[in-house]
Amino acid sequence: MVALNEKVVLEVKRLSKKFDSSDVLKSVDFTLEEGETLAIIGSSGSGKTTLLRCLNFLERPDAGYISVRGNALFDSEDHNVSKKDIRQNRLHFGLVFQSFNLFPQYTALKNVVLAPELLAKERKDYKANKKSVIEEIRNDGLKLLEQVGLSERRDYYPHQLSGGQQQRVAIARALALKPDILCFDEPTSALDPELTGEVLKVIRSLAATKKSMVIVTHEMQFARDVADKILFMDDGAVIEYGKPEDVFDNPSSDRMKKFLERYNSI
Amino acid sequence: MGLWNVTLSLWSGFQTTLLLFFLTLAFALPLGLLISFGSMSKFAPLRYAVKIFVWIIRGTPLMLQIIIIFYVPALFFGTPISTRFIAAVIAFVINYACYFSEIYRGGIESISNSQFEAGQALGMTKSQIFFRVILLQVIKRIAAPMSNEVITLVKDTALARVIAVVEIIRVAENIMSGGLIWPLFYTAVFFLLSVGILTLMFGFLEKKLSYFRA
Ligand SMILES: Nc1ncnc2c1ncn2[C@@H]1O[C@H](COP(=O)(O)OP(=O)(O)OP(=O)(O)O)[C@@H](O)[C@H]1O
Ligand SMILES: [Mg+2]
């Protein structure tokens, strides 16, 4: 393809997923450009988590197409693509979970460096440069903890950290493998209200550095401020997709209007 | 026979007891893990085969299993298992591996699936996730039931005497047939000391693992 938009980092087409016989994703399409932040909103059960899990290959879509930087990772119509190594595919994406899911037996720093260390062991030159490779990974990890404001907590175990701090470690951990796209699944819904601010601040700072991100969130004000595009899902389908001002101020669908009414009335 | 000589004879029997104990642990701990993987396999025929096997082993007396393993090969193939001691080790390993497998399975299944998924999302392989993320959390959770099982094993070793393995109780019985009864009661000291040491070791392990919460 000659006319491929070089700025597109993620392309999702006709993505569909069934659980048993219910359609949880119904032909979802969207694209993400380099450095953009996409916020996905929608009521409970609309399929937001399932969409993120399909992107991270934790769930296998039934049909559709996913590509990163023009490189197809999943294509239900092309056998060769579907056979691609799922682990390699996952490395294009980072995922931050609602419930953090840090590894409890490791310190904050070790949580961040574990996966990069394991990955480095697969490199052919690992044995020869072991010391410098590990040192480099450690320095990267320390930088990431600094970026999320937790340098002085690097030797704390997850149970010694607040929810907000745990989630910030989880963000650093997801960034450690330098994913092309960082995904968040309601990163603040498990937090006390006074702790959401510190996590949102970190996500904002990532948006400012032009990290490509997909964020599922119930924080409408945050979505409006930070996102370049909004995707509103209902019952597994994309109902609205566009700039925040268009989607929030001039929704074209009744479902989005209803959703906003309900949200504003809380 | 004086106290010192009795102690020495009992100690020689207890060495057999300890050898049986350690060999059983050395083989049954990893074998139990394999069996637990089988009992959680997505491949249904394997899963059912393993579950039936575990049911049979846990559903019949260990003493019977020891007798079967010692005598049946001789009956059917004409070649007995080379020594009584090895027959006892095999029976104990199989029996304890099945009990351990159920403890492992309970421990592994109690770890939230989100720990597996966090590892997957970070591009880790299945075995990396198991050995680097899950295993230590499992060990922490199963330390208490494991200590029960291991303490039971120390005492179960006495069952080996049904095929005339000369472990400590058997030695005491031999002395008794010579007219001395107290050495039999004296064997309890050996068991109590071993169980005491094991209890301390498991307490130490639990303390070692108390630095994190899972
Ligand atoms: N593993 C599964 N098996 C069967 N059904 C599932 C599974 N996971 C999700 N579903 C169903 O798929 C639908 C979408 O679920 P999903 O978790 O993606 O929604 P969501 O938009 O993330 O909701 P929420 O805002 O509550 O997190 C729901 O109806 C849910 O019950
Ligand atoms: Mg969800």
Side-chain angles (χ1 to χ4, degrees):
Chain A
M1 272 199 271
V2 191
L4 186 80
N5 186 345
E6 274 175 29
K7 281 160 68 192
V8 171
V9 61
L10 171 65
E11 191 169 18
V12 173
K13 287 194 260 182
R14 306 178 308 278
L15 201 70
S16 304
K17 174 75 188 168
K18 272 185 210 235
F19 280 120
D20 305 321
S21 58
S22 70
D23 291 299
V24 176
L25 294 179
K26 299 171 184 166
S27 194
V28 169
D29 294 274
F30 69 89
T31 57
L32 187 72
E33 288 185 8
E34 199 76 57
E36 262 188 344
T37 298
L38 171 74
I40 301 180
I41 58 174
S43 49
S44 186
S46 55
K48 308 180 296 294
T49 296
T50 307
L51 176 55
L52 283 195
R53 289 172 58 83
C54 286
L55 293 181
N56 284 272
F57 294 86
L58 293 176
E59 214 77 71
R60 195 191 149 82
D62 295 319
Y65 170 88
I66 300 170
S67 75
V68 171
R69 299 215 164 97
N71 164 24
L73 304 183
F74 177 82
D75 187 345
S76 52
E77 263 142 49
D78 185 339
H79 246 50
N80 293 324
V81 173
S82 301
K83 270 190 293 193
K84 277 198 178 175
D85 181 10
I86 235 177
R87 263 186 73 218
Q88 289 303 319
N89 286 349
R90 282 180 181 138
L91 292 176
H92 292 284
F93 297 87
L95 179 58
V96 174
F97 298 85
Q98 186 172 344
S99 49
F100 334 135
N101 301 351
L102 293 179
F103 305 133
Q105 70 267 46
Y106 295 126
T107 61
L109 180 60
K110 186 72 185 182
N111 263 278
V112 176
V113 299
L114 178 65
E117 281 176 2
L118 293 174
L119 202 63
K121 281 190 185 161
E122 290 169 30
R123 279 168 29 184
K124 284 200 186 75
D125 60 349
Y126 176 73
K127 280 232 169 82
N129 311 313
K130 192 170 168 179
K131 258 205 166 143
S132 65
V133 171
I134 294 288
E135 186 67 27
E136 200 177 303
I137 291 173
R138 185 184 148 86
N139 287 334
D140 286 350
L142 289 171
K143 263 186 223 144
L144 285 167
L145 283 180
E146 192 182 333
Q147 201 179 332
V148 299
L150 288 173
S151 292
E152 70 292 2
R153 295 284 147 107
R154 65 181 193 212
D155 295 325
Y156 283 48
Y157 289 92
H159 76 272
Q160 300 168 318
L161 298 170
S162 73
Q165 291 169 337
Q166 288 186 55
Q167 192 60 302
R168 288 188 277 151
V169 174
I171 293 172
R173 180 177 73 170
L175 285 167
L177 291 168
K178 304 185 177 73
D180 296 300
I181 300 129
L182 186 56
C183 302
F184 296 82
D185 190 6
E186 300 190 31
T188 59
S189 350
L191 297 175
D192 293 334
E194 68 268 25
L195 297 177
T196 60
E198 59 188 72
V199 172
L200 295 184
K201 198 175 132 203
V202 168
I203 301 175
R204 272 193 180 121
S205 74
L206 287 173
T209 65
K210 294 286 165 203
K211 183 86 202 161
S212 308
M213 296 190 285
V214 177
I215 308 173
V216 171
T217 183
H218 283 299
E219 306 265 350
M220 293 306 145
Q221 192 54 49
F222 170 71
R224 196 185 177 120
D225 294 349
V226 80
D228 301 291
K229 276 187 200 150
I230 304 284
L231 188 152
F232 170 65
M233 285 179 74
D234 193 35
D235 197 20
V238 176
I239 306 295
E240 301 261 355
Y241 176 50
K243 294 206 168 100
E245 49 276 23
D246 296 337
V247 172
F248 282 114
D249 300 334
N250 300 304
S252 53
S253 65
D254 282 344
R255 285 201 251 185
M256 179 73 191
K257 284 177 196 157
K258 283 225 176 80
F259 176 75
L260 286 175
E261 264 168 41
R262 239 184 308 140
Y263 181 79
N264 289 328
S265 68
I266 306 172
Chain B
M1 237 173 144
L3 176 64
W4 179 243
N5 283 334
V6 168
T7 306
L8 282 182
S9 323
L10 290 183
W11 170 244
S12 77
F14 199 60
Q15 284 177 332
T16 305
T17 299
L18 287 179
L19 192 60
L20 180 54
F21 172 78
F22 284 116
L23 284 174
T24 303
L25 277 190
F27 290 102
L29 285 173
L31 182 63
L33 194 57
L34 277 181
I35 296 176
S36 80
F37 289 149
S39 71
M40 293 183 288
S41 168
K42 287 201 184 85
F43 181 58
L46 174 64
R47 190 172 65 242
Y48 286 116
V50 168
K51 281 186 188 262
I52 288 171
F53 181 71
V54 171
W55 170 61
I56 291 171
I57 297 298
R58 294 202 307 168
T60 55
L62 174 54
M63 190 188 279
L64 189 60
Q65 291 163 15
I66 296 168
I67 293 169
I68 288 174
I69 286 183
F70 182 56
Y71 289 107
V72 166
L75 285 179
F76 283 87
F77 311 111
T79 47
I81 287 188
S82 57
T83 74
R84 293 159 187 280
F85 180 74
I86 287 175
V89 170
I90 292 171
F92 273 85
V93 166
I94 293 173
N95 184 278
Y96 270 80
C98 286
Y99 278 95
F100 289 157
S101 80
E102 284 297 287
I103 296 178
Y104 287 134
R105 189 176 63 81
I108 292 169
E109 287 179 346
S110 77
I111 305 292
S112 160
N113 199 34
S114 59
Q115 288 284 308
F116 289 90
E117 292 191 336
Q120 284 179 319
L122 289 165
M124 292 161 68
T125 64
K126 269 191 179 162
S127 79
Q128 287 171 342
I129 295 173
F130 183 77
F131 287 107
R132 305 301 295 262
V133 175
I134 305 298
L135 186 59
L136 196 63
Q137 298 181 51
V138 171
I139 290 174
K140 183 181 166 87
R141 289 194 191 185
I142 67 176
M146 268 299 185
S147 79
N148 253 333
E149 222 37 66
V150 170
I151 284 170
T152 305
L153 171 60
V154 180
K155 295 166 293 172
D156 270 359
T157 52
L159 288 171
R161 57 184 259 294
V162 301
I163 53 168
V165 170
V166 188
E167 46 66 66
I168 186 169
I169 303 269
R170 183 85 182 193
V171 173
E173 283 174 334
N174 290 343
I175 298 171
M176 199 167 68
S177 60
L180 267 186
I181 194 161
W182 61 265
L184 188 58
F185 306 140
Y186 185 30
T187 59
V189 174
F190 289 77
F191 287 102
L192 283 170
L193 281 177
S194 319
V195 170
I197 291 168
L198 282 171
T199 306
L200 289 177
M201 280 169 59
F202 272 98
F204 179 73
L205 177 69
E206 283 184 41
K207 205 159 179 193
K208 252 323 233 193
L209 293 178
S210 68
Y211 75 91
F212 72 93
R213 251 176 239 162

mmCIF file of all heavy atoms in Angstrom, chain A residues 59-78:
data_model
loop_
_atom_site.group_PDB
_atom_site.id
_atom_site.type_symbol
_atom_site.label_atom_id
_atom_site.label_comp_id
_atom_site.label_asym_id
_atom_site.label_seq_id
_atom_site.Cartn_x
_atom_site.Cartn_y
_atom_site.Cartn_z
ATOM 1 N N GLU A 59 -7.388 -11.930 24.730
ATOM 2 C CA GLU A 59 -8.612 -12.524 24.208
ATOM 3 C C GLU A 59 -8.409 -12.597 22.705
ATOM 4 O O GLU A 59 -7.812 -11.689 22.119
ATOM 5 C CB GLU A 59 -9.782 -11.580 24.521
ATOM 6 C CG GLU A 59 -11.072 -12.237 24.817
ATOM 7 C CD GLU A 59 -11.125 -12.833 26.223
ATOM 8 O OE1 GLU A 59 -11.193 -12.078 27.216
ATOM 9 O OE2 GLU A 59 -11.083 -14.069 26.290
ATOM 10 N N ARG A 60 -8.867 -13.688 22.094
ATOM 11 C CA ARG A 60 -8.702 -13.793 20.650
ATOM 12 C C ARG A 60 -9.977 -13.331 19.954
ATOM 13 O O ARG A 60 -11.059 -13.870 20.208
ATOM 14 C CB ARG A 60 -8.421 -15.257 20.283
ATOM 15 C CG ARG A 60 -7.883 -15.440 18.899
ATOM 16 C CD ARG A 60 -7.881 -16.926 18.522
ATOM 17 N NE ARG A 60 -8.079 -17.045 17.080
ATOM 18 C CZ ARG A 60 -7.099 -16.906 16.196
ATOM 19 N NH1 ARG A 60 -5.879 -16.687 16.597
ATOM 20 N NH2 ARG A 60 -7.350 -16.977 14.903
ATOM 21 N N PRO A 61 -9.847 -12.322 19.093
ATOM 22 C CA PRO A 61 -11.050 -11.848 18.398
ATOM 23 C C PRO A 61 -11.573 -12.942 17.460
ATOM 24 O O PRO A 61 -10.810 -13.803 17.028
ATOM 25 C CB PRO A 61 -10.560 -10.652 17.584
ATOM 26 C CG PRO A 61 -9.193 -10.329 18.084
ATOM 27 C CD PRO A 61 -8.647 -11.571 18.702
ATOM 28 N N ASP A 62 -12.879 -12.905 17.165
ATOM 29 C CA ASP A 62 -13.416 -13.878 16.221
ATOM 30 C C ASP A 62 -13.164 -13.441 14.791
ATOM 31 O O ASP A 62 -12.992 -14.258 13.906
ATOM 32 C CB ASP A 62 -14.924 -14.047 16.452
ATOM 33 C CG ASP A 62 -15.199 -14.656 17.818
ATOM 34 O OD1 ASP A 62 -14.449 -15.572 18.192
ATOM 35 O OD2 ASP A 62 -16.114 -14.189 18.509
ATOM 36 N N ALA A 63 -13.183 -12.129 14.581
ATOM 37 C CA ALA A 63 -12.961 -11.624 13.225
ATOM 38 C C ALA A 63 -12.414 -10.215 13.310
ATOM 39 O O ALA A 63 -12.549 -9.542 14.327
ATOM 40 C CB ALA A 63 -14.270 -11.634 12.438
ATOM 41 N N GLY A 64 -11.794 -9.799 12.212
ATOM 42 C CA GLY A 64 -11.298 -8.438 12.151
ATOM 43 C C GLY A 64 -9.820 -8.363 11.833
ATOM 44 O O GLY A 64 -9.212 -9.363 11.428
ATOM 45 N N TYR A 65 -9.291 -7.173 12.050
ATOM 46 C CA TYR A 65 -7.923 -6.881 11.615
ATOM 47 C C TYR A 65 -7.301 -5.890 12.583
ATOM 48 O O TYR A 65 -7.944 -4.926 12.993
ATOM 49 C CB TYR A 65 -8.010 -6.288 10.202
ATOM 50 C CG TYR A 65 -6.742 -5.704 9.666
ATOM 51 C CD1 TYR A 65 -5.817 -6.497 8.990
ATOM 52 C CD2 TYR A 65 -6.475 -4.335 9.805
ATOM 53 C CE1 TYR A 65 -4.642 -5.955 8.485
ATOM 54 C CE2 TYR A 65 -5.305 -3.786 9.304
ATOM 55 C CZ TYR A 65 -4.388 -4.597 8.641
ATOM 56 O OH TYR A 65 -3.234 -4.055 8.145
ATOM 57 N N ILE A 66 -6.073 -6.172 13.020
ATOM 58 C CA ILE A 66 -5.350 -5.252 13.893
ATOM 59 C C ILE A 66 -3.960 -5.063 13.308
ATOM 60 O O ILE A 66 -3.262 -6.047 13.026
ATOM 61 C CB ILE A 66 -5.193 -5.825 15.325
ATOM 62 C CG1 ILE A 66 -6.555 -6.089 15.971
ATOM 63 C CG2 ILE A 66 -4.370 -4.873 16.198
ATOM 64 C CD1 ILE A 66 -6.459 -6.876 17.287
ATOM 65 N N SER A 67 -3.560 -3.804 13.107
ATOM 66 C CA SER A 67 -2.186 -3.589 12.663
ATOM 67 C C SER A 67 -1.549 -2.474 13.471
ATOM 68 O O SER A 67 -2.221 -1.554 13.937
ATOM 69 C CB SER A 67 -2.134 -3.262 11.173
ATOM 70 O OG SER A 67 -2.568 -1.943 10.956
ATOM 71 N N VAL A 68 -0.231 -2.586 13.661
ATOM 72 C CA VAL A 68 0.532 -1.547 14.341
ATOM 73 C C VAL A 68 1.594 -1.046 13.377
ATOM 74 O O VAL A 68 2.380 -1.838 12.844
ATOM 75 C CB VAL A 68 1.189 -2.092 15.622
ATOM 76 C CG1 VAL A 68 2.163 -1.074 16.196
ATOM 77 C CG2 VAL A 68 0.123 -2.425 16.654
ATOM 78 N N ARG A 69 1.570 0.247 13.115
ATOM 79 C CA ARG A 69 2.490 0.877 12.165
ATOM 80 C C ARG A 69 2.492 0.136 10.829
ATOM 81 O O ARG A 69 3.557 -0.152 10.257
ATOM 82 C CB ARG A 69 3.910 0.912 12.731
ATOM 83 C CG ARG A 69 4.003 1.725 14.013
ATOM 84 C CD ARG A 69 5.313 2.462 14.133
ATOM 85 N NE ARG A 69 5.203 3.500 15.145
ATOM 86 C CZ ARG A 69 5.619 3.343 16.405
ATOM 87 N NH1 ARG A 69 6.196 2.235 16.795
ATOM 88 N NH2 ARG A 69 5.479 4.340 17.254
ATOM 89 N N GLY A 70 1.304 -0.229 10.361
ATOM 90 C CA GLY A 70 1.167 -0.866 9.055
ATOM 91 C C GLY A 70 1.519 -2.344 9.033
ATOM 92 O O GLY A 70 1.408 -3.005 8.007
ATOM 93 N N ASN A 71 1.898 -2.869 10.202
ATOM 94 C CA ASN A 71 2.315 -4.263 10.275
ATOM 95 C C ASN A 71 1.165 -5.070 10.891
ATOM 96 O O ASN A 71 0.840 -4.899 12.057
ATOM 97 C CB ASN A 71 3.603 -4.267 11.115
ATOM 98 C CG ASN A 71 3.982 -5.633 11.636
ATOM 99 O OD1 ASN A 71 3.600 -6.658 11.073
ATOM 100 N ND2 ASN A 71 4.719 -5.634 12.727
ATOM 101 N N ALA A 72 0.539 -5.919 10.055
ATOM 102 C CA ALA A 72 -0.650 -6.641 10.527
ATOM 103 C C ALA A 72 -0.284 -7.649 11.610
ATOM 104 O O ALA A 72 0.624 -8.455 11.448
ATOM 105 C CB ALA A 72 -1.312 -7.350 9.358
ATOM 106 N N LEU A 73 -0.975 -7.569 12.744
ATOM 107 C CA LEU A 73 -0.734 -8.514 13.840
ATOM 108 C C LEU A 73 -1.818 -9.571 13.896
ATOM 109 O O LEU A 73 -1.609 -10.680 14.350
ATOM 110 C CB LEU A 73 -0.706 -7.787 15.188
ATOM 111 C CG LEU A 73 0.288 -6.642 15.339
ATOM 112 C CD1 LEU A 73 0.215 -6.091 16.754
ATOM 113 C CD2 LEU A 73 1.695 -7.105 15.029
ATOM 114 N N PHE A 74 -3.002 -9.167 13.463
ATOM 115 C CA PHE A 74 -4.124 -10.106 13.465
ATOM 116 C C PHE A 74 -4.980 -9.818 12.245
ATOM 117 O O PHE A 74 -5.276 -8.655 11.960
ATOM 118 C CB PHE A 74 -4.953 -9.949 14.743
ATOM 119 C CG PHE A 74 -6.165 -10.841 14.765
ATOM 120 C CD1 PHE A 74 -6.047 -12.173 15.149
ATOM 121 C CD2 PHE A 74 -7.414 -10.363 14.383
ATOM 122 C CE1 PHE A 74 -7.154 -13.009 15.157
ATOM 123 C CE2 PHE A 74 -8.524 -11.201 14.386
ATOM 124 C CZ PHE A 74 -8.388 -12.522 14.774
ATOM 125 N N ASP A 75 -5.320 -10.875 11.517
ATOM 126 C CA ASP A 75 -6.175 -10.700 10.356
ATOM 127 C C ASP A 75 -6.936 -11.999 10.164
ATOM 128 O O ASP A 75 -6.357 -13.010 9.789
ATOM 129 C CB ASP A 75 -5.324 -10.387 9.120
ATOM 130 C CG ASP A 75 -6.196 -10.041 7.920
ATOM 131 O OD1 ASP A 75 -7.420 -10.325 7.972
ATOM 132 O OD2 ASP A 75 -5.662 -9.494 6.944
ATOM 133 N N SER A 76 -8.241 -11.948 10.473
ATOM 134 C CA SER A 76 -9.007 -13.195 10.438
ATOM 135 C C SER A 76 -9.120 -13.718 9.009
ATOM 136 O O SER A 76 -9.523 -14.856 8.809
ATOM 137 C CB SER A 76 -10.387 -12.992 11.051
ATOM 138 O OG SER A 76 -11.028 -11.896 10.457
ATOM 139 N N GLU A 77 -8.752 -12.884 8.016
ATOM 140 C CA GLU A 77 -8.876 -13.363 6.646
ATOM 141 C C GLU A 77 -7.550 -13.838 6.072
ATOM 142 O O GLU A 77 -7.476 -14.306 4.955
ATOM 143 C CB GLU A 77 -9.465 -12.259 5.757
ATOM 144 C CG GLU A 77 -10.959 -12.439 5.582
ATOM 145 C CD GLU A 77 -11.699 -11.122 5.581
ATOM 146 O OE1 GLU A 77 -11.274 -10.213 4.855
ATOM 147 O OE2 GLU A 77 -12.685 -11.011 6.326
ATOM 148 N N ASP A 78 -6.496 -13.661 6.841
ATOM 149 C CA ASP A 78 -5.189 -14.070 6.339
ATOM 150 C C ASP A 78 -4.550 -15.051 7.324
ATOM 151 O O ASP A 78 -4.135 -14.676 8.416
ATOM 152 C CB ASP A 78 -4.296 -12.830 6.158
ATOM 153 C CG ASP A 78 -2.960 -13.185 5.530
ATOM 154 O OD1 ASP A 78 -2.566 -14.366 5.605
ATOM 155 O OD2 ASP A 78 -2.322 -12.283 4.972
#
